[in-house]
């Protein structure tokens, strides 16, 4: 029954869902209207805050772009890519295809969601090539669905932020180590509950007919072949020697090890330099690394384009008092025990309007944390609930699916029907578990 529902729902979504950039613009106009009715006294302030907000998160945007790109370039290292292709060859039935794609992507999301984008794309593509019985849009949804697990992983932007010394809420909630968030027993329980039940739900959605197989996407243009004379020039030898990449990669890795030796907790900057250094170490030359980085940039371009619009939305939500209204409304009907669940729902709603974990925390954290602490809620649980809510509605908000879709050659409307149905199940499971395990 679920597979028939998902097939019909997917057809409806494909007909009516516009491009992600169109959604970003429509969302901006929608928030403008809501903000005007929330704060009608001085509409000029709304335009001012929107324009100012465009540039508020430039540093964070760069961190996110580097996180994605360094992860994607690391996944394109030849031995990593070949390993993924070899694993993909084992998925010789449709059931195995969906399970392999989901589980491998989930492992990658746990390590780094930038890495996971390209790992999921490569696995979905390679499995799709070898298994014409697998419905390729659902296969790509399998690669994207584990995005909901990244909150419990090593690159969670909110949890790494609050584990960083002198973060912007340190005076309110202190510095909270990842042992109280990512590695909390409640987080581990939710992680495994989703890891087990999501693939079961996916298998129940799998279509029995009208299978859409993988269609090859044109490969990017290969680099120009050098003549023997050119390849012997000192400049070309420097570009293609592995020595420079190994040396500068080792410098970065030594720095990261020194930080760990000082008991510095994981944060966005450490993960970025780690993945950058590993990529430089494992790629065969600086030239090859530069080409891989350039190729990754094409997949990231929609995020770079749309991030300022969502930064503007975040500024509107803050300056108009709209975010405060939403959060205080939820807080007014919650208790210390239920605050985590209400925070989860609030974060899911805010994430649809502002799909950035770090940006959302900058907006929601200063309101949510004091309100929760006043009720007696644990600030670590509040941060976890915001993180889970942010990841939950990533399945509804198409923003973070753009890189993987660019790699596999699909449009957001091809997978969003399946993602929306998955989000319903995930919302139910996570809401129940947040209430009982934190």
């Amino acid at each position: 029954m679920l597979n028939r529902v998902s097939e019909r729902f997917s057809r409806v979504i494909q007909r009516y869902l516009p491009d992600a950039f169109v959604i970003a613009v429509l969302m901006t106009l929608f928030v403008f209207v809501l903000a005007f009715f929330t704060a009608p006294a001085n509409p000029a302030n709304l335009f001012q805050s929107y324009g100012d907000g465009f540039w508020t998160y430039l540093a964070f945007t760069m961190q996110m772009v580097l996180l994605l790109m360094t992860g994607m370039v690391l996944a394109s290292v030849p031995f990593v890519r070949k390993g993924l292709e070899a694993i993909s060859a084992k998925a010789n039935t449709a059931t195995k295809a969906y399970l392999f794609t989901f589980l491998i992507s989930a492992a990658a999301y746990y390590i780094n969601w930038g890495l996971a984008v390209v790992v999921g794309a490569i696995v979905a593509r390679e499995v799709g090539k070898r298994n014409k019985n697998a419905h390729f849009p659902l296969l790509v949804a399998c690669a994207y669905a584990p995005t909901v697990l990244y909150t419990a992983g090593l690159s969670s932007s909110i949890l790494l932020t609050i584990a960083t010394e002198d973060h912007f809420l340190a005076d309110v909630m202190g510095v909270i180590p990842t042992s109280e968030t990512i590695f909390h027993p409640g987080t581990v329980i939710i992680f495994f509950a989703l890891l087990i039940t999501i693939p079961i739900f996916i298998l129940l959605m799998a279509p029995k007919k009208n299978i859409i197989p993988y269609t090859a996407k044109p490969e990017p243009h290969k680099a120009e072949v050098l003549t023997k004379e050119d390849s012997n020039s000192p400049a070309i030898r420097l570009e293609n020697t592995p020595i420079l990449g190994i040396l500068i990669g080792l410098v970065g890795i030594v720095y990261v090890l020194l930080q760990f030796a000082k008991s510095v907790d994981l944060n966005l900057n450490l993960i970025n330099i780690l993945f950058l250094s590993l990529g430089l170490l494992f790629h065969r030359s600086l030239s090859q690394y530069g080409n891989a980085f350039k190729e990754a940039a094409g997949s990231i371009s929609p995020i770079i384009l749309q991030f300022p619009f969502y930064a503007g939305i975040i500024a509107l939500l803050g300056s108009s008092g709209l975010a405060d209204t939403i959060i205080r409304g939820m807080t007014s009907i919650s208790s210390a025990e239920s605050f985590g669940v209400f925070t989860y729902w609030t974060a899911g709603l805010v994430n649809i309007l502002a799909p950035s974990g770090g940006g959302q925390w900058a907006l929601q954290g200063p309101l949510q944390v004091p309100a929760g602490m006043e009720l007696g809620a644990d600030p670590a649980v509040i941060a976890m609930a915001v993180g889970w809510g942010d990841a939950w509605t990533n399945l509804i908000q198409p923003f973070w699916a753009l890189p993987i879709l660019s790699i596999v050659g699909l449009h957001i409307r091809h997978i969003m029907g399946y993602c929306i149905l998955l989000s319903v199940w995930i919302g139910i499971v996570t809401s129940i578990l947040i209430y009982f395990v934190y």
Side-chain angles (χ1 to χ4, degrees):
M1 180 179 176
L2 185 57
N3 67 333
R4 292 196 297 271
V5 171
S6 65
E7 189 174 354
R8 290 171 187 166
F9 188 62
S10 182
R11 284 200 299 267
V12 171
I13 293 297
Q14 288 184 48
R15 181 173 176 82
Y16 292 104
L17 186 71
D19 182 74
F21 186 36
V22 175
I23 292 173
V25 172
L26 289 175
M27 201 79 72
T28 302
L29 297 175
F30 173 68
V31 173
F32 250 115
V33 172
L34 290 181
F36 175 77
F37 285 108
T38 303
N42 195 346
N45 284 346
L46 299 179
F47 290 92
Q48 182 70 40
S49 63
Y50 173 76
D52 292 343
F54 237 63
W55 317 118
T56 301
Y57 300 110
L58 278 180
F60 178 70
T61 302
M62 190 63 181
Q63 284 179 314
M64 293 297 100
V65 168
L66 279 175
L67 195 63
L68 279 169
M69 292 185 68
T70 54
M72 292 173 72
V73 174
L74 180 59
S76 69
V77 169
F79 77 83
V80 176
R81 183 185 289 267
K82 288 177 183 177
L84 293 173
E85 291 172 356
I87 293 171
S88 302
K90 300 183 183 296
N92 52 12
T93 67
T95 297
K96 286 183 181 179
Y98 301 131
L99 291 177
F100 269 54
T101 303
F102 175 81
L103 293 174
I104 294 170
S105 297
Y109 269 104
Y110 185 81
I111 298 169
N112 174 272
W113 54 274
L115 178 70
V117 167
V118 74
V119 167
I122 291 172
V123 171
R125 185 178 64 196
E126 296 302 321
V127 168
K129 282 180 185 178
R130 294 164 172 77
N131 197 322
K132 298 302 180 183
N133 293 321
H135 187 59
F136 192 61
L138 181 57
L139 209 54
V140 175
C142 289
Y144 181 58
T147 185
V148 75
L149 301 175
Y150 111 92
T151 291
L154 304 179
S155 64
S156 173
S157 56
I158 294 174
L159 307 183
L160 294 179
T161 295
I162 64 174
T164 304
E165 293 289 340
D166 300 322
H167 67 88
F168 71 95
L169 284 177
D171 292 342
V172 179
M173 62 190 303
V175 175
I176 299 181
T178 52
S179 59
E180 296 181 25
T181 54
I182 295 174
F183 302 113
H184 186 281
T187 302
V188 175
I189 290 170
I190 295 174
F191 177 85
F192 279 103
L194 295 177
L195 187 69
I196 294 168
T197 61
I198 290 175
I200 294 172
F201 196 91
I202 287 170
L203 293 179
L204 293 174
M205 286 196 298
K208 306 300 182 186
K209 54 184 180 179
N210 300 322
I211 304 294
I212 300 175
Y214 168 79
T215 303
K217 180 187 176 186
E219 293 291 328
H221 294 296
K222 300 296 181 184
E224 184 180 350
V225 178
L226 297 171
T227 65
K228 184 176 181 181
E229 182 179 352
D230 288 336
S231 63
N232 286 329
S233 74
I236 298 300
R237 286 204 300 270
L238 275 174
E239 292 172 8
N240 290 283
T241 179
I243 296 174
L244 292 178
I246 291 171
L247 289 176
I248 195 65
L250 287 173
V251 169
I253 291 170
V254 169
Y255 167 79
V256 172
L257 292 175
L258 288 173
Q259 297 304 106
F260 287 150
K262 296 176 183 176
S263 300
V264 175
D265 219 329
L266 276 175
N267 58 57
L268 292 175
N269 292 333
L270 267 184
I271 287 179
N272 274 333
I273 195 169
L274 175 62
F275 279 85
L276 176 68
S277 301
L278 287 173
L280 287 165
L281 181 66
F282 292 135
H283 273 282
R284 288 191 287 262
S285 66
L286 295 183
S287 175
Q288 180 175 297
Y289 188 88
N291 288 332
F293 211 80
K294 186 188 301 182
E295 188 176 332
S299 301
I300 302 300
S301 60
I303 288 178
I304 299 173
L305 170 64
Q306 294 176 40
F307 216 118
F309 287 90
Y310 285 111
I313 289 175
I314 291 172
L316 278 174
L317 290 171
S319 65
S320 67
L322 185 57
D324 185 63
T325 300
I326 294 171
I327 292 168
R328 291 192 184 281
M330 287 286 193
T331 303
S332 66
I333 56 175
S334 64
S335 62
E337 293 75 20
S338 63
F339 191 81
V341 177
F342 280 101
T343 298
Y344 173 68
W345 294 341
T346 305
L349 175 60
V350 173
N351 182 63
I352 294 173
L353 302 174
S356 160
Q360 180 174 343
W361 181 245
L363 171 71
Q364 193 170 351
L367 301 171
Q368 202 87 46
V369 172
M373 292 178 70
E374 189 175 329
L375 287 174
D378 184 347
V381 172
I382 298 170
M384 280 306 313
V386 173
W388 283 119
D390 164 65
W392 169 36
T393 50
N394 278 344
L395 290 172
I396 299 173
Q397 224 301 344
F399 183 64
W400 294 113
L402 297 175
I404 191 171
L405 292 167
S406 176
I407 294 169
V408 300
L410 291 184
H411 191 278
I412 186 64
R413 64 175 64 99
H414 291 128
I415 72 167
M416 191 49 64
Y418 302 112
C419 290
I420 292 172
L421 290 175
L422 268 172
S423 73
V424 175
W425 171 251
I426 290 166
I428 293 170
V429 172
T430 310
S431 295
I432 294 170
L433 289 177
I434 284 176
Y435 184 82
F436 285 105
V437 301
Y438 283 125

